[in-house]
Amino acid sequence: MVKKIKVKNSGIIKLQFYNDFPDGNLVIGESNKSVPFKIKRFYFINNLFSPKAIRGKHAHKKLEQIIFCINGQFTLNLDDGESKQGILMNDPYYGVRLGPKLWHTMTKFSSDCVILVLADDYFEEDDYIRGYKQFLEYVR
Ligand code: TYD
């Protein structure tokens, strides 16, 4: 897991957890506390059996999200239109902020990877920027 995010509109969110060894870990996130918005939606992605799978390839105009890798690992590629950064997501206690105007792709999934995303709004296709050229025009 990366220690410093250099792209715009991102950041690291650390979750509180209780190590109840040998009875497991309990990990907690709360709206407007560790999660810096009110959660209106969540989704998770599993069954990532193809190492060639690519997800994301879009940016959002307004949506705020936090992405976690709660099992396994993958690479999160962020691009704010000026800087790019690849982040190895392999620590379930750290999330990465996917703020607006941040082109993101997810690659190199382990087969046991499970991704959890928290969002501050409902699904709205109009909020997506799905073309990279269109993204660059939008942020510049
Ligand atoms: P998409 O956001 O493109 O997935 P990813 O970024 O992980 O590759 O969503 C894939 C499809 O699922 C797309 O047709 C829209 C739909 N979808 C919903 O209907 N609701 C949702 O909350 C999300 C995230 C996606």
Side-chain angles (χ1 to χ4, degrees):
M1 184 72 195
V2 73
K3 293 214 171 66
K4 204 161 179 205
I5 303 272
K6 61 178 190 186
V7 293
K8 283 182 234 163
N9 303 334
S10 187
I12 294 174
I13 279 82
K14 180 158 176 22
L15 295 181
Q16 181 195 3
F17 72 95
Y18 290 97
N19 180 342
D20 287 331
F21 183 84
D23 301 319
N25 284 347
L26 177 72
V27 192
I28 303 144
E30 292 178 303
S31 283
N32 297 327
K33 291 187 176 178
S34 52
V35 177
F37 51 75
K38 188 168 175 220
I39 301 160
K40 272 199 184 173
R41 176 168 58 107
F42 72 88
Y43 54 93
F44 61 83
I45 302 167
N46 61 3
N47 287 355
L48 286 152
F49 296 128
S50 168
K52 288 187 189 155
I54 304 177
R55 299 207 61 106
K57 288 192 281 181
H58 64 253
H60 287 281
K61 296 174 189 165
K62 293 203 178 116
L63 190 70
E64 282 283 351
Q65 301 186 102
I66 312 287
I67 186 165
F68 294 92
C69 182
I70 57 170
N71 201 60
Q73 65 173 61
F74 72 98
T75 300
L76 177 64
N77 307 285
L78 299 179
D79 177 349
D80 63 16
E82 287 174 2
S83 304
K84 295 182 186 191
Q85 185 170 10
I87 299 167
L88 175 64
M89 299 289 291
N90 64 352
D91 187 332
Y93 313 116
Y94 288 89
V96 172
R97 177 183 168 220
L98 295 177
K101 299 190 237 174
L102 198 52
W103 187 263
H104 54 280
T105 58
M106 291 93 95
T107 55
K108 296 186 186 160
F109 305 98
S110 61
S111 56
D112 60 350
C113 178
V114 181
I115 296 171
L116 173 67
V117 182
L118 311 177
D120 78 338
D121 211 346
Y122 301 120
F123 175 77
E124 222 180 294
E125 187 58 43
D126 282 354
D127 189 67
Y128 278 71
I129 305 167
R130 291 206 183 264
Y132 189 67
K133 216 176 133 217
Q134 190 196 350
F135 164 70
L136 290 180
E137 281 161 13
Y138 192 84
V139 294
R140 279 172 187 170

